[in-house]
Amino acid sequence: MSNQKQQKPTLTGQRFKTRKRDEKERFDPSQFQESIVQGLNQSGTDLEAVGKFLDASGAKLDYRRYAETLFDILVAGGMLAPGGTLAEDMTPTEFCLFKAQEDMETMQAYAQVFNKLIRRYKYLEKGFEDEVKKLLLFLKGFTESECNKLAMLTGILLANGTISASILSSLFNENLVKEGVSASFAIKLFKSWLSERDFNSVAGSLRKVGMDNRLMELFPANKRSCEHFSKYFNDAGLQELSGFVKNQQSIGTRKELQKEIEDQMSRGDPLKDIIAYTREEIKKNNISEQTMIGLIWASVMSSVEWNKKEELVTEQAIKHLKQYSPLLKAFTSQGLSELTLLLKIQEYCYDNIHFMKAFQKIVVLLYKADVLSEEPILKWYKEAHLAKGKSVFLEQMKTFVEWLKNAEEGG
């Protein structure tokens, strides 16, 4: 067998000219724009006719390729140049969203046009969402009336689920925020959204895409406070929104606080320092002692790797809680805080199956350490316990409760 490399065969012969239809079609939206503008001019203000025209044109025109052009025309009358001005290479149509009447009824009719179009041509869904994001970035290039119409339409589309609340991220654009454009647009958008849906539905949509924690970004950094947000939106009659954001902020604060306490524990910071820090945070963030004892209990129980064996975990828990009982004691100065702690312990032991048999031993330890007192324990036993694992925990506590009652009567 020869070691010489075999020569590769070469193709020879006549070279054919590429057929016209095989060449990639050049991107040229002007012809597409002409067809859409002409159709809209013929349909006029009759939005039902517009809907029928758009439905039929999808079979003849390349909506997939020219989606952005299509939506630009429906909203602004023609193709938009960067910044939001109309491109000058063609006469725009007067029959578009920006030239329509500025009222909710007209905007609802336009929302229907978009809904039907996207339901008919599903592939336009993403392109439409991208279009709305782009339009929001162009707000400074639009007139006040155009912004109002866009805000109303966007609110209705959010309510219908045609677009997701992730489009709001465009409003966090630094230039829009700095000039107050974002916040003022948000007022009109939320009013429109809430005229179609209740606040729970709005909050659910915001949570779904992680926008519930970002609304403060509608304001510049130096104005991102609950007070400023509340005043701004309360003055506009959107009390539910400002209440929601205030609540989200406090949830965020509590999560950060719990993590910080856990970090301090894992670093082995002295308990007196952890107590001093926690007291400072209570004052600073106006947190109740009941809320704080729940956070501290969660931090204490999260700061350790628990044994998977039921017979060993009780011993481990008692040792761990003995170490941190001064921290728990510092934030159970009220009977209600003690009861809150008892309910947290019950919930924890029920949710973590290895702790089911440890409940009574934990309560007795905390009683001896002066964290829990007779009255809250008896109240918990008699009426204030949770349904979770009730029969198991009440049975465990029976003897100790009898002893407490006798000790109380004897005292």
Side-chain angles (χ1 to χ4, degrees):
M1 200 175 143
S2 164
N3 283 340
Q4 276 185 329
K5 280 189 180 175
Q6 274 189 314
Q7 208 174 358
K8 287 183 180 172
T10 55
L11 288 169
T12 54
Q14 191 182 355
R15 182 169 286 189
F16 291 100
K17 199 174 176 190
T18 314
R19 288 194 182 128
K20 195 80 179 158
R21 68 164 186 247
D22 294 337
E23 283 179 9
K24 189 147 178 64
E25 198 189 329
R26 198 163 57 89
F27 184 77
D28 179 20
S30 52
Q31 209 174 344
F32 178 87
Q33 175 171 334
E34 204 176 301
S35 306
I36 297 292
V37 167
Q38 193 181 352
L40 292 178
N41 286 343
Q42 282 166 2
S43 305
T45 52
D46 181 354
L47 290 183
E48 208 166 301
V50 168
K52 282 177 183 166
F53 159 70
L54 292 171
D55 193 10
S57 298
K60 294 174 274 184
L61 299 172
D62 195 348
Y63 279 1
R64 197 184 290 272
R65 194 159 199 224
Y66 298 113
E68 187 180 359
T69 307
L70 173 65
F71 293 130
D72 274 1
I73 299 165
L74 292 174
V75 172
M79 280 193 286
L80 289 168
T85 53
L86 279 169
E88 288 171 10
D89 56 352
M90 188 169 283
T91 310
T93 177
E94 291 296 303
F95 303 104
C96 62
L97 180 89
F98 280 175
K99 300 289 182 188
Q101 269 183 278
E102 192 185 316
D103 60 63
M104 276 300 276
E105 201 180 327
T106 309
M107 293 305 110
Q108 278 161 340
Y110 262 94
Q112 276 302 99
V113 170
F114 287 111
N115 275 335
K116 282 178 183 168
L117 178 62
I118 287 156
R119 273 209 306 270
R120 174 75 174 84
Y121 299 103
K122 250 333 226 174
Y123 58 80
L124 287 174
E125 216 168 61
K126 190 185 179 305
F128 185 53
E129 205 153 286
D130 290 343
E131 174 76 10
V132 176
K133 283 182 183 173
K134 180 190 81 173
L135 291 169
L136 298 189
L137 289 173
F138 290 172
L139 287 177
K140 278 164 64 181
F142 303 146
T143 65
E144 190 184 347
S145 174
E146 288 167 351
C147 286
N148 290 346
K149 290 168 198 171
L150 186 57
M152 284 190 258
L153 177 79
T154 309
I156 297 163
L157 294 169
L158 284 163
N160 296 343
T162 309
I163 52 175
S164 96
S166 60
I167 57 102
L168 296 174
S169 60
S170 290
L171 292 178
F172 306 143
N173 171 277
E174 198 182 341
N175 291 324
L176 296 176
V177 168
K178 199 166 62 183
E179 294 187 30
V181 176
S182 297
S184 121
F185 184 85
I187 282 179
K188 296 170 198 120
L189 181 149
F190 278 107
K191 280 189 171 175
S192 166
W193 193 351
L194 285 163
S195 71
E196 303 281 309
R197 291 282 178 270
D198 66 13
F199 194 79
N200 286 340
S201 165
V202 172
S205 300
L206 292 170
R207 281 196 195 96
K208 199 173 172 185
V209 291
M211 282 292 151
D212 50 331
N213 295 316
R214 295 194 62 193
L215 295 179
M216 207 67 96
E217 293 174 47
L218 291 166
F219 295 102
N222 62 342
K223 288 181 179 172
R224 273 177 210 165
S225 70
C226 268
E227 293 70 37
H228 182 78
F229 191 100
S230 295
K231 181 166 176 15
Y232 190 87
F233 284 97
N234 283 347
D235 288 352
L238 288 163
Q239 287 82 355
E240 280 181 306
L241 184 67
S242 51
F244 172 73
V245 167
K246 197 173 183 182
N247 190 40
Q248 290 302 111
Q249 285 294 107
S250 64
I251 290 168
T253 303
R254 294 202 292 268
K255 279 182 183 165
E256 283 167 28
L257 186 50
Q258 186 181 320
K259 185 168 184 330
E260 179 53 36
I261 294 169
E262 281 171 33
D263 290 347
Q264 289 178 11
M265 286 175 186
S266 61
R267 286 199 304 264
D269 290 7
L271 286 183
K272 64 176 176 50
D273 291 355
I274 300 177
I275 290 167
Y277 166 79
T278 308
R279 285 208 168 113
E280 194 57 42
E281 288 297 313
I282 280 184
K283 216 182 295 175
K284 194 166 86 182
N285 295 298
N286 199 19
I287 298 171
S288 70
E289 193 182 73
Q290 289 81 54
T291 301
M292 188 50 85
I293 194 62
L295 290 182
I296 291 168
W297 168 259
S299 303
V300 167
M301 298 309 275
S302 300
S303 64
V304 69
E305 193 69 48
W306 294 110
N307 201 303
K308 294 284 183 280
K309 291 183 177 159
E310 197 173 30
E311 60 274 16
L312 298 174
V313 85
T314 304
E315 196 183 318
Q316 189 190 3
I318 296 301
K319 197 176 167 188
H320 181 65
L321 287 167
K322 201 177 254 179
Q323 183 191 344
Y324 285 105
S325 59
L327 177 60
L328 294 164
K329 187 182 176 182
F331 300 98
T332 45
S333 65
Q334 305 158 14
L336 197 53
S337 309
E338 291 183 45
L339 190 56
T340 303
L341 178 57
L342 269 163
L343 295 171
K344 292 287 177 191
I345 299 168
Q346 180 186 349
E347 207 166 13
Y348 188 88
C349 291
Y350 178 79
D351 291 341
N352 298 275
I353 194 93
H354 300 315
F355 282 82
M356 283 292 275
K357 290 180 181 172
F359 179 75
Q360 185 262 0
K361 290 187 171 70
I362 291 172
V363 175
V364 171
L365 165 81
L366 296 179
Y367 171 75
K368 287 179 178 168
D370 260 350
V371 176
L372 298 171
S373 51
E374 292 88 343
E375 205 181 317
I377 295 173
L378 294 173
K379 187 177 171 62
W380 171 88
Y381 186 83
K382 188 182 174 193
E383 61 191 23
H385 48 260
L386 300 168
K388 290 179 169 184
K390 180 176 90 168
S391 53
V392 175
F393 299 135
L394 291 179
E395 185 58 41
Q396 276 183 36
M397 290 291 289
K398 204 172 173 183
T399 313
F400 181 59
V401 166
E402 289 302 324
W403 181 83
L404 278 182
K405 282 179 183 169
N406 294 336
E408 215 177 28
E409 284 160 18

